[in-house]
Amino acid sequence: QVQVVESGGGLVQPGGSLRLSCAASGGGFSFDDMGWYRQAPGKERELVATITRGGSTNYADSVKGRFTISRDNSKNLVYLQMNNLKLEDTAVYFCNAHVQSSRVTYWGKGTLVTVSS
């Protein structure tokens, strides 16, 4: 059974930083693309950043230059370093892990990030 578990959310002031972590486990898989998405209150879920197994990254324009995604393939971990946080970054952040061979994407339950003064 595959589990995807996020951690590291919390309350931070504007301009502050947080680091989110995500662990994918189970199923005996080597996960291919992994990524972070977010959903703010009253809005649809949106892409934040993705990273391939080879380390290629993709970012939403709204977070470029502020957020950095990275991963540890040996441990099926993915991180999101968030700097210079803004009020509009407040959202529940979800991690996903994709298995190309089965074309299945697994999602975590999310971690809340609140940016407030």
Side-chain angles (χ1 to χ4, degrees), residues 56-74:
S56 296
T57 58
N58 179 51
Y59 295 93
D61 288 343
S62 59
V63 306
K64 283 181 180 177
R66 300 188 298 122
F67 291 10
T68 302
I69 189 171
S70 60
R71 66 187 287 174
D72 181 340
N73 289 333
S74 66

Side-chain angles (χ1 to χ4, degrees), residues 27-48:
F29 298 119
S30 292
F31 297 95
D32 298 294
D33 292 1
M34 299 183 77
W36 289 96
Y37 290 71
R38 67 186 180 186
Q39 187 167 16
K43 295 187 177 181
E44 294 186 352
R45 190 173 299 189
E46 63 177 5
L47 168 74
V48 176

Side-chain angles (χ1 to χ4, degrees), residues 6 19 25 35 41 44 56 61 65 68 70 72 84 95 101 104 110 116:
E6 305 95 337
R19 188 192 196 207
S25 62
E44 294 186 352
S56 296
D61 288 343
T68 302
S70 60
D72 181 340
N84 191 21
C95 173
S101 59
V104 175
S116 175

Side-chain angles (χ1 to χ4, degrees), residues 1-7 20-36 51 53 70-79 94-99 104-109:
Q1 181 178 358
V2 175
Q3 286 190 315
V4 178
V5 180
E6 305 95 337
S7 61
L20 305 182
S21 300
C22 171
S25 62
F29 298 119
S30 292
F31 297 95
D32 298 294
D33 292 1
M34 299 183 77
W36 289 96
I51 185 168
R53 188 166 183 81
S70 60
R71 66 187 287 174
D72 181 340
N73 289 333
S74 66
K75 299 179 181 178
N76 287 327
L77 296 171
V78 62
Y79 305 100
F94 297 90
C95 173
N96 75 9
H98 181 70
V99 179
V104 175
T105 299
Y106 299 91
W107 289 87
K109 294 182 179 180

Side-chain angles (χ1 to χ4, degrees), residues 82-111:
M82 305 186 294
N83 297 328
N84 191 21
L85 283 159
K86 303 177 180 181
L87 296 175
E88 53 264 38
D89 294 318
T90 294
V92 177
Y93 284 70
F94 297 90
C95 173
N96 75 9
H98 181 70
V99 179
Q100 184 63 31
S101 59
S102 61
R103 300 183 183 179
V104 175
T105 299
Y106 299 91
W107 289 87
K109 294 182 179 180
T111 185

